[in-house]
Amino acid sequence: FDNETLGLTDEMTASDIEGWDSVAHINLMFGIEQAFGVRFKGNELAEMKNIGELKQFLRAWQLWRSY
């Protein structure tokens, strides 16, 4: 997101990031899919309330993939 000073916390939401919009959301979704090999279904990413929920999702995905 071109902001090296941006610190993420588990409680952080999109509304906490200045200039966040739908394009940023799509870029985040594609970036996560490429980086982790995950595919979001429908509004799965949009339904996550904060960074903490996203981290939990990715941990579960990685565990599932390792089996």
Side-chain angles (χ1 to χ4, degrees), residues 11-67:
E11 297 79 24
M12 184 176 273
T13 66
S15 63
D16 295 322
I17 301 174
E18 185 178 334
W20 188 264
D21 60 12
S22 59
V23 174
H25 187 84
I26 296 294
N27 287 335
L28 174 67
M29 182 181 76
F30 287 138
I32 292 171
E33 287 182 342
Q34 286 181 335
F36 292 91
V38 64
R39 297 293 293 180
F40 292 106
K41 297 175 188 148
N43 286 334
E44 199 167 32
L45 180 61
E47 292 171 358
M48 294 179 197
K49 295 180 182 111
N50 55 39
I51 294 292
E53 285 189 14
L54 174 58
K55 286 168 54 178
Q56 288 176 338
F57 172 86
L58 292 172
R59 279 189 208 109
W61 172 257
Q62 288 177 326
L63 282 173
W64 179 81
R65 253 182 109 181
S66 67
Y67 286 110

